[in-house]
Every structure is written in structure tokens, then in C-alpha cells.
Amino acid sequence: MTMTAVGSAIEELNLHGIAQIRFERAVSELDLAPGFSDYLRRPERVIRIEFPVRMDDGSVRMFTGFRVQHNSNRGPFKGGIRYHPDVGEDELRALAMMMTWKTAVMDVPFGGAKGGVVCNPKELSEEEKRAVTRRYTSQLGPAIGPMIDIPAPDVYTDARTMAWIFDTYDMTHKGENNLPVVTGKPLELGGSYGRSTATSRGCLICIREAIAWGLVPDVQSLGGARVVIQGFGNAGAGLATLAHAEGAKIVGVSDSSGGIVSEVGLDPGKVLEHKEKTGRVSGFPGAHVVSNEELLEWPCDVLVPAALENQITGTNAPCIRAKLIAEAANGPTTPAADDILSERGVTVIPDILCSGGGVTVSYYEWVQNLQDEQWDEDTVNARLEKKMVKAFRGVFELASERNVDPRVAAYMIALERLARVTQLRGFWP
Ligand code: NAD
């Protein structure tokens, strides 16, 4: 467990603990029946599997995999699968719960889940990753399915991994339309146009709305707004490209090797080319190198954490010089940082809203697969825009009505939607 100092106190940076704090804050604003919050907090099912894989050198190695299915009252479970040495039940419980809130606040008809395999994918060959994926999928058995639980890519899994999951499931369910069993698939295999940029586009729409709502002092439009982005992967680089195209000035970006800043602004396309050649953003011609800590504190209008959790904490929140924080990553801001930023008047667009574009277009992929259709990119983007704007307005209107911060408002909306559906259905039997 990681800790950081906040003044003289110690802040716990455990994702599960943080998920509980966020949940409790929202519950305290709602009028739920006794015992109801305990029901909403707990997962429906925690699956743990152990399985063997024959490695390239002929040896047999045991792997541990999980799938946590949090709540399916609003629809089938939905959530990513990650391959990482730190995958564990507590973290997946927290992430599965966050997926339930994310699908509810975005108003897509899914519940929340998260899964993973404890492994270091960087040490596995392509063939070993394929074997891990196939065995993990087959051992999950009837726990996943197009109307039961629909996985998606997450940390160190991608469209290729989703193609293997689909194939494994399809081999054992012949004669059925199995494409909707996973989302984030390759375009040629039932994937959706617009899925790869959906998280970035959703985040951009939120930033545009926040500016239109007057939440970014002295900024009237994205054109000319100074933007800093932590993380230059799928979400971060995608956002840099889209924001740059709308006239924003990208004054700083970073990846795990460090950050770069430029007062004249960076061209994301050129930074991407440089990263493809050298493997990192640092060293980009004409830009100054900064540490990741310095990048987060760089003066800007909009700061976008698009890398890891727990980046803005009680320790560095007093030094953040952004006017708006748009959380493209899951869980980048801690509860102690939330309090400090709120006191300082810095608006935070919460992750369950700001990074909800990905799951929204995953839902569109699922719908296209069920209908055996493929929509064009403009159709997908237009539907995403409508959904994001509606979700943003819902959260910020409630925040202002109830005088709570937008994160609490987003959780309140999600919890109320789930509570209402649960009350309508009643508890079985
Ligand atoms: P990615 O692996 O494509 O990119 C992550 C980036 O973060 C990489 O550039 C990496 O170098 C950088 N990074 C790692 N450690 C860093 C550090 N200490 N400082 C600065 N940069 C660092 O991942 P992604 O898909 O872009 O996801 C990023 C975040 O967005 C995650 O929190 C993820 O859960 C969240 N998210 C992604 C999606 C999606 O559709 N891709 C959807 C919802 C949420």
C-alpha cells in the first residue's frame, strides 16, 4: 500500500479505500433505505481461477486470473481485462465498482466488472500471451457472454487480445452471433469506427462544455487555451491531437520517461513521430525537458491526467496551477487533493464522467454487433457527443443545485439510477 504525506497527516493511496470514501460521500447526500448502501457497495461475484500454460521453452507455468462482477441490475456486466504483475482482488473490486458508476452516469445499459491476470506481459511472447488469453477465457466459462458479461481492453491488453477472446468464445459457441461477447475488437472483426479515439473525444467534449459553462476563468474557447497532458498513450496522445486540431495550445506532455514543455506549443503529430522513433517524448527538438512532478504543476488552463491513478495528491494539489482538471485516467486525483482543489476553486471533471467516452462507444460497438451493422465514424461521433453533453450537464447541474463538488454529484446520479432500477425490480425471489 502506498502512502503520501498531507501536511502532518498520512494519506492512504489504496484504490479500494479511495473507492469506499467516494461511495460514502455520495451516500451521505442520498436518502437510501437502511442496508441498501451495503448492497450497492458489494460485488455480485468474485471469480478467481488458477490455470496452466505451456511456455515456449516447454515448461508449464501456473497463472492466477480474476473477474469481479459488481452489479448487473442495469444490464450485463461490462469492464476491461488487465495483464499486470500487480493485479489483485482488492484493486479489481474497486475498479469493477467504478465501472458500475461510470456506465450509470453515462446512462449506458450495462453494469460494472473488471478482470485481470497476474503476469508481466512484457516478459511473455506473443504465443504465450495468446495461450494465457485463451485459457483464461475458457476457464471463465459461462461467466462471460454477449448478454452476461462483456470484457474490453485495459492495461496491457488491446484489440488483438479481444480478437483472441472472441475466437475462443466463438469456437465453443458455434452457430450463434458471438461478436458482442467483447468490445474494443479490431475494425475487421466487428470493432467500431471511433472506438480508438472515443475516450479522448469524450474528454475533449467535457473540456469544451466546461469552458462554455464559464468554469475556466478568462478562457472563452478551446482555441488558444493552454493545455498540459500527463501520459502520451491512447487517451493522452489522442486528446492532444484532437485539442490541437481545435486550436488549443499544447504546452506540455509527458510519458513514463518524463515530460516536455514548450511555450510556443507542441505539434502532437510531430511528438508522436518522435516517440515512435525514440520510444519517448523527451528529447523532442525545441522543447524543454521537465520531470513528471514539474509537468503536473506547470501553469496552464487545462490539466489532463491521462496516465495512472493517484497522481494529484494532498501533497502536490496546493501547487497545481491549472484552472480546470479533466480526468481522462481512472482515479488520478485522491480525496485529499479533491478537498484542496475545491477550496482553491479549481474545477475537476471527475473520471467516471470525463473518461466515459470509451465505454459509451463500446456500447455502440455492442449494439452494432447485435444488429449486424457497422456505423460510419460521423454517426458514432455524433451519438457520442450527444451522450457526453447530456451526462456533463446532468452532473454539473446537480452539483450547482445541491452545492456539492462535481465528483459527488456524478456518484449521486449513478447511485440513484442504480437504486431506482433495483427498487423497480425488487430483490429476487
Ligand atoms: P496507455 O498505456 O495507452 O498510455 C499510458 C501513458 O501513460 C503512456 O504514454 C505511459 O508512458 C504514460 N505513463 C505511465 N506512467 C507515467 C508517469 N508516471 N508519468 C507520466 N506518464 C506516464 O493507456 P491509456 O489507454 O491511454 O490509459 C490511460 C489512462 O486512461 C488509464 O488510467 C486508463 O484506465 C484510462 N482510461 C483509458 C481508456 C481508453 O479507452 N484507453 C478509457 C477509460 C479510461
Side-chain angles (χ1 to χ4, degrees), residues 102 154 195 199 230-236 254-256 275 292 306-308 311 328-330 355 358:
K102 193 182 281 192
D154 197 74
R195 173 62 187 91
T199 303
Q230 183 203 35
F232 207 64
N234 180 303
S254 68
D255 59 20
S256 53
K275 187 169 162 80
N292 255 311
L308 307 169
Q311 296 302 295
N330 281 316
S355 73

Side-chain angles (χ1 to χ4, degrees), residues 78 150-153 158-164 166 177-198 358 360-377 380:
K78 183 94 194 79
I150 305 131
D158 54 17
R160 188 77 208 275
T161 326
M162 298 307 112
W164 290 330
F166 161 72
N177 173 14
N178 295 315
L179 280 177
V181 70
V182 274
T183 59
K185 298 181 291 295
L187 260 184
E188 311 85 313
L189 198 63
S192 176
Y193 284 105
R195 173 62 187 91
S196 60
T197 53
T360 303
V361 176
S362 273
Y363 163 56
Y364 297 151
E365 179 176 332
W366 183 75
V367 171
Q368 289 169 75
N369 292 159
L370 288 174
Q371 298 174 342
D372 210 3
E373 279 185 15
Q374 193 161 46
W375 305 343
D376 61 37
E377 190 157 357
V380 174

Side-chain angles (χ1 to χ4, degrees), residues 212-362:
W213 276 56
L215 297 170
V216 194
D218 306 321
V219 176
Q220 273 75 46
S221 81
L222 249 178
R226 291 165 54 86
V227 178
V228 166
I229 303 170
Q230 183 203 35
F232 207 64
N234 180 303
L239 178 73
T241 307
L242 292 172
H244 179 72
E246 293 207 9
K249 194 192 262 192
I250 312 299
V251 288
V253 299
S254 68
D255 59 20
S256 53
S257 67
I260 50 171
V261 293
S262 162
E263 280 311 304
V264 292
L266 299 160
D267 178 336
K270 295 202 170 122
V271 178
L272 261 177
E273 270 173 35
H274 171 81
K275 187 169 162 80
E276 267 156 30
K277 262 190 246 152
T278 65
R280 51 184 56 198
V281 296
S282 62
F284 182 70
H288 297 285
V289 173
V290 290
S291 68
N292 255 311
E293 292 71 32
E294 288 171 315
L295 183 101
L296 289 173
E297 296 167 16
W298 205 256
C300 61
D301 297 313
V302 184
L303 172 64
V304 184
L308 307 169
E309 56 269 14
N310 296 334
Q311 296 302 295
I312 304 173
T313 65
T315 308
N316 64 358
C319 312
I320 300 287
R321 285 184 281 175
K323 300 171 185 168
L324 175 75
I325 296 176
E327 295 183 335
N330 281 316
T333 312
T334 66
D338 270 345
D339 293 343
I340 295 166
L341 293 167
S342 164
E343 243 168 58
R344 294 184 52 219
V346 180
T347 302
V348 178
I349 311 176
D351 51 3
I352 59 169
L353 167 67
C354 200
S355 73
V359 76
T360 303
V361 176
S362 273

